Amino acid sequence: QQQKEDEEKDETSPSMSSLVVESSSSSSSQEEEKQQQGGANRGQILQHIYTRCQEEMEKAVPPGMALLHKLLRTELPSVRQNQCQHYLCAGDPVNGPAPERKMVTADDRVIDLPAPTKPLVDPKDLVGAIRDSVLQIRTVEKAGGATREGAATFVESCRQVAKEVRIVLGNHYGTDHPLFLEFQESLQPVFRPDSAKSPYMQGTGVDAEPQEAES
């Protein structure tokens, strides 16, 4: 009888080895979870450092180039649209009322702010930054410092930014406004060159046609 009870007890009670295995497995899972959390935190810190470095760099370059760089590194189209509106538009839009601009003071007073009369970044400066950037990447590609695919990807990113800026300017100023028309016409040679030897296709060099002087 005693032997039978001992056998039943052995069958229903977990063995010491199984407890050790379970404990070891639990500890391993917790350690892996800690490592994953630590890796995520390090990734967030590195991303924050990278973003701050980019922001500091943008402070040291001309406004047009700084805005282009900001737009190129912004992934969400809706955020890029807000950035274009903030930096490139001034005065009341032609279509609909201007968005409310308010400031809350330390004593909780709300002050209405007038629409800016001058854009933070002149659209002409952004045009110049786009033209220079496309010219530079084509020149680097011609010298063998960039692949054809890499250069094409960068030019397409600039094209997408230009298209989004064009939409924002058209909605704000109207498609018959001189500023909108000038922005559109200034980028035609960049993205629709009329010659295969255009510097915006081949980069600068003896075989490339000279770049038109800006008026």
Side-chain angles (χ1 to χ4, degrees):
Q1 181 68 23
Q2 182 63 34
Q3 182 178 1
K4 183 178 181 180
E5 290 178 357
D6 292 340
E7 291 177 353
E8 292 177 352
K9 183 176 181 180
D10 291 340
E11 292 177 357
T12 57
S13 300
S15 63
M16 180 60 69
S17 60
S18 64
L19 290 175
V20 171
V21 171
E22 291 177 1
S23 177
S24 176
S25 177
S26 176
S27 299
S28 177
S29 299
Q30 292 176 358
E31 185 65 26
E32 290 179 0
E33 184 176 353
K34 289 181 180 179
Q35 290 178 356
Q36 292 175 356
Q37 292 177 351
N41 291 336
R42 286 193 295 272
Q44 293 173 355
I45 292 173
L46 291 174
Q47 181 63 38
H48 177 71
I49 294 174
Y50 170 79
T51 301
R52 290 302 303 272
C53 290
Q54 298 298 311
E55 292 173 348
E56 290 300 318
M57 186 198 72
E58 289 165 2
K59 295 178 182 178
V61 299
M65 186 62 70
L67 179 57
L68 176 60
H69 189 270
K70 185 187 296 291
L71 294 172
L72 287 174
R73 67 180 177 84
T74 301
E75 296 181 0
L76 295 178
S78 59
V79 177
R80 289 197 299 270
Q81 179 180 356
N82 291 337
Q83 290 172 338
C84 293
Q85 183 75 33
H86 175 72
Y87 286 101
L88 298 172
C89 298
D92 294 333
V94 295
N95 301 319
E100 293 185 354
R101 296 171 57 87
K102 298 181 181 295
M103 180 180 70
V104 180
T105 63
D107 56 354
D108 293 332
R109 290 187 299 111
V110 179
I111 301 176
D112 292 327
L113 300 177
T117 58
K118 184 178 180 180
L120 297 176
V121 177
D122 191 328
K124 293 180 182 178
D125 294 338
L126 180 61
V127 168
I130 293 174
R131 294 175 66 170
D132 290 346
S133 297
V134 172
L135 188 63
Q136 288 173 7
I137 191 62
R138 290 303 189 190
T139 302
V140 172
E141 177 192 2
K142 183 177 181 180
T147 64
R148 182 177 181 180
E149 293 76 11
T153 298
F154 178 79
V155 172
E156 182 58 33
S157 297
C158 290
R159 186 199 305 272
Q160 182 62 35
V161 165
K163 289 169 58 178
E164 294 175 2
V165 171
R166 178 179 176 275
I167 292 174
V168 170
L169 294 179
N171 290 337
H172 186 86
Y173 293 105
T175 55
D176 57 348
H177 194 282
L179 188 150
F180 172 84
L181 296 175
E182 183 178 4
F183 179 87
Q184 180 174 257
E185 293 172 1
S186 297
L187 290 177
Q188 287 286 344
V190 180
F191 299 118
R192 292 183 180 177
D194 56 5
S195 170
K197 292 185 177 181
S198 166
Y200 299 111
M201 292 290 293
Q202 300 293 333
T204 57
V206 294
D207 295 331
E209 295 179 351
Q211 184 179 359
E212 296 180 0
E214 295 184 9
S215 58

